[in-house]
Amino acid sequence: VTALAYARLLTGATLAFHIVFATLGVGLPLFIAVAEAAGLARRDADLRLLARRWVRGFAILVVTGAASGTLIGLDLYIFWPRFMLVAGQVIILPFALEGMAFFVEAAFLAIYLYGSGGMRPWARWALWLPVVGGAGASALLVTTVNTFMNQPVGFRLAGLTVSDVRPWAAMFNPGTPVNCLHVLVTAYLATGLGLAAATQPAKFAAMEGLLVGRAAAPEVLFGWPSAAAGRIVGGITLPLRGLESWLAYGRASAFVRGLDAVPRADWPPLIVHDLFDLMVAVGFAALALVLVYGVGWWRRRAAYRPGRWLLAATVVMGALGLAAIECGWLVDEEGRQPWLLVGLMRLDQGVTTAPGVGVLAAIYLPTYLALLVLTAAVLRATFRRYPLRFDAAGHAREEGPAR
Amino acid sequence: VSGQQALALAVAGAYFGLYALTAGVEFGAGLLAALARAGGHARAARLAEGALSPVWEVTNVFLILFALSLASFFPLALRLYGETLLMPVATALLLLLVRYVVFGFRHAMGDAAWPVYVYGVAGFLAPLPLMAFLPVSEGIGVTLAPGGGLRLAGGLLLASPLTWAILAATASSELALAGTLLAAYAARWQRRQEAAAFGRWARWALLAALLSAAAIWQTLERANPGHAARLALLWPLPAAAVPLGALTWWALARPGREALAMAALVLAYAVGLLGYALSHLPYLVDPELTVAAALTNGPMLAALIPTYLGGLALALPLAVWVYLVLPLRVPPPA
């Protein structure tokens, strides 16, 4: 196995590990802010209790999130130094702004957890807002970098020599608004597909498993894209004529480019198709779940109590949601293979030439696994040690975790 | 060095200084907590742990911002450091991971002593491999790679006395900074006994730090005579660190003067590091890479300078609040 394979494995594992905590770390602060504001406005003790419980969970997730975030931040420099040499000259601006957003988030989280005792509830709530803002901003900023890797613009590259740099153009890439919207609200179908079809035809073809380009392409779900057969084997073809063409270009008769338009050496892994469909399926299931809750609430209003099965389904959906995030991320990263910067820099042109990457993989991979187990155990232990009754009783713990 | 280069250096240097100070305080405090716990001083251990529990994430962001500022302003330097320092940085990251996780989760692990030992030692060791970037910046411990560029030569790195002087200075500085700040916190909380104990630790560590700083100067003569000669020209800066260190030593032995000791110590490090950094110029990696060659392109520079200056304007007041005000606003650990 080559150093490149180890570097990919290690970077991929670090990211796969980190994005679980990163996405929860971006989403939870907003939920906490909303629950606390609604609780304060309506004088609803239950909502405020919910917010307090979430803060407990967040304080644990943020430990693993910050630690793994540091790893991925510095991993880029040591595993992909030649890529960072180019990126440093073109797309470092959003990284720098992201670092500053982290700083604001970390500082205000510390102040909120340790320094807000005795403050008035609304003032204390306001201290939480920079945490929400910092987390959201860092998500958007890192997404601009990802968009840039898929559609590198705003510079010229010859070998490792960069020229004609336009930093803001690189950051505010044409694909940035749509990608950012997707990351924040995870609404892929409407937005992401059209974008990919127009600007990343190889990735789109891999997502759809379209081996041979055609007009009025039908939508095929799941199955195995077979290079030998030139089509998806065992998939479910939806009975709507030209649905895939319509999703991509808004016209049922449009011609969709297939992988046959891409040199075989530049094909992304074909598994991308199933990962993509899995993510979309989870998205639809989540929508259906929301619909069930919506109908129940619409019929009974405040008296609505979801049933056991619905609650169980919600818990399962939480796990599926994380799986969908991993799938979506894999679609994006694997769909870009073999490129680091599409059309400009391949992975083997960016990887380190230093020895020892394999040794590091052997040390780090078990460490991540152990850390995953440990974080789960700590979450469990903490919520057991501070049961619902404890937080509901108030216990003068407004100022945060015990020291 | 042109105006733009000077500004870029100043910004990257400011972030390095912020990380060096805050990480020194935090990781030193971790080891002091472990030492106090091992010595049966549970109250002092809780004080060392509790005083700095709010800050670790903020300290960590300074590491990210320092690395980012180097990558932003001097991308070529970061490429050289990235390729040579793969193993040291990966080792430091593993130690940091252990430190953060065990420290962050210590409440869930009950009142056992081992988490304190683990995070104390892991955190204390973490900066040491990172400091390999200093000898490498002097051209020590690197060879030319077959395909061009530089490669770390671990044997050469560890054979250089300069490396060991730098490691000794780093380790003793962690303890001196942490001991002094903890003495100041303890004094504010009217915990005379702990203030005196941390003050004693700080004074011994300070002595070791001054000796190892002298050793760095001495070993630099052989390791990189050009740098040593430039440092000799700037002698007032490192020399000024000596009376400031003496003032720290004096103030640490006087109850009630702990804050003065901390201020004098920070100033001592500021002048010492400034002297070292200025005399390092014009090289970022000696003799491979100069500041002028490493500086990024004009349009990027124009976008970066306001971004980073704005970041500093935001970070400095928040850092003062988080490190100096916040710990004193909460009741002292019992």
Side-chain angles (χ1 to χ4, degrees), chain A residues 70 77 114-115 353 364 385 403, chain B residues 60 78 90 107 151 329-330:
Chain A
T70 310
Y77 305 132
Y114 292 92
T353 55
Y364 270 97
R385 192 163 154 202
R403 309 215 326 185
Chain B
N60 183 49
L78 202 101
H107 292 309
R151 178 152 295 173
R329 274 175 58 95
V330 268

Side-chain angles (χ1 to χ4, degrees), chain A residues 318-345:
Chain A
L320 284 179
L322 286 178
I325 285 169
E326 295 282 1
C327 284
W329 166 73
L330 278 170
V331 167
D332 190 67
E333 300 289 326
E334 292 295 328
R336 192 176 55 241
Q337 302 304 319
W339 301 101
L340 262 171
L341 296 169
V342 171
L344 295 176
M345 184 187 245

Side-chain angles (χ1 to χ4, degrees), chain B residues 22-331:
Chain B
T22 54
V25 163
E26 193 184 309
F27 297 140
L31 188 71
L32 286 176
L35 288 172
R37 181 82 190 235
H41 308 292
R43 264 167 69 90
R46 278 198 296 276
L47 194 147
E49 181 179 286
L52 292 162
S53 49
V55 301
W56 71 268
E57 269 195 88
V58 184
T59 307
N60 183 49
V61 181
F62 281 135
L63 171 62
I64 295 173
L65 283 173
F66 163 59
L68 269 174
S69 65
L70 204 60
S72 302
F73 290 112
F74 307 107
L76 271 168
L78 202 101
R79 184 212 170 166
L80 276 184
Y81 286 127
E83 285 201 324
T84 46
L85 297 180
L86 170 70
M87 282 316 216
V89 173
T91 309
L93 287 175
L94 196 64
L95 288 165
L96 284 178
L97 191 66
V98 171
R99 201 278 177 189
Y100 292 152
V101 167
V102 177
F103 185 77
F105 292 163
R106 68 196 183 286
H107 292 309
M109 296 173 181
D111 198 36
W114 68 264
V116 186
Y117 300 150
V118 170
Y119 83 68
V121 172
F124 179 71
L125 294 178
L128 300 181
L130 283 182
M131 292 310 278
F133 96 93
L134 276 183
V136 166
S137 79
E138 305 287 356
I140 303 292
V142 283
T143 52
L144 287 172
L150 293 179
R151 178 152 295 173
L152 188 73
L156 287 178
L157 182 72
L158 295 178
S160 167
L162 178 66
T163 305
W164 293 99
I166 288 170
L167 291 181
T170 307
S172 51
S173 299
E174 286 182 50
L175 291 177
L177 284 163
T180 308
L181 189 61
L182 287 175
Y185 285 148
R188 278 291 296 269
W189 284 322
Q190 306 294 332
R191 301 268 288 268
R192 287 277 139 231
Q193 211 182 341
E194 280 95 350
F198 287 127
R200 268 196 305 279
W201 270 106
R203 292 178 86 193
W204 284 112
L206 180 63
L207 196 63
L210 278 171
L211 287 175
S212 44
I216 289 178
W217 199 339
Q218 192 59 38
T219 49
L220 195 59
E221 295 272 0
R222 280 197 48 199
N224 186 346
H227 185 179
R230 292 191 296 272
L231 185 60
L233 286 177
L234 290 173
W235 69 268
L237 281 173
V242 176
L244 285 165
L247 178 60
T248 310
W249 173 275
W250 177 84
L252 276 172
R254 305 286 180 292
R257 302 232 187 266
E258 291 85 357
L260 171 68
M262 190 65 200
L265 187 60
V266 170
L267 266 183
Y269 276 103
V271 293
L273 285 174
L274 192 64
Y276 183 88
L278 287 179
S279 57
H280 205 293
L281 301 180
Y283 298 108
L284 284 176
V285 182
D286 198 344
E288 206 66 22
L289 189 64
T290 62
V291 174
L295 195 69
T296 192
N297 57 76
M300 184 52 93
L301 208 53
L304 287 175
I305 285 176
T307 304
Y308 274 94
L309 287 180
L312 272 180
L314 195 72
L316 282 175
L318 272 173
V320 168
W321 178 268
V322 168
Y323 287 92
L324 299 179
V325 181
L326 182 61
L328 294 172
R329 274 175 58 95
V330 268

Side-chain angles (χ1 to χ4, degrees), chain A residues 309-386:
Chain A
W309 285 104
L310 189 55
L311 289 175
T314 310
V315 172
V316 172
M317 188 47 75
L320 284 179
L322 286 178
I325 285 169
E326 295 282 1
C327 284
W329 166 73
L330 278 170
V331 167
D332 190 67
E333 300 289 326
E334 292 295 328
R336 192 176 55 241
Q337 302 304 319
W339 301 101
L340 262 171
L341 296 169
V342 171
L344 295 176
M345 184 187 245
R346 288 164 182 277
L347 285 154
D348 58 354
Q349 294 168 315
V351 73
T352 184
T353 55
V357 185
V359 178
L360 293 174
I363 298 170
Y364 270 97
L365 296 181
T367 308
Y368 292 146
L369 213 58
L371 208 52
L372 218 50
V373 176
L374 181 69
T375 308
V378 167
L379 272 172
R380 230 178 117 86
T382 302
F383 281 106
R384 242 186 218 173
R385 192 163 154 202
Y386 302 103

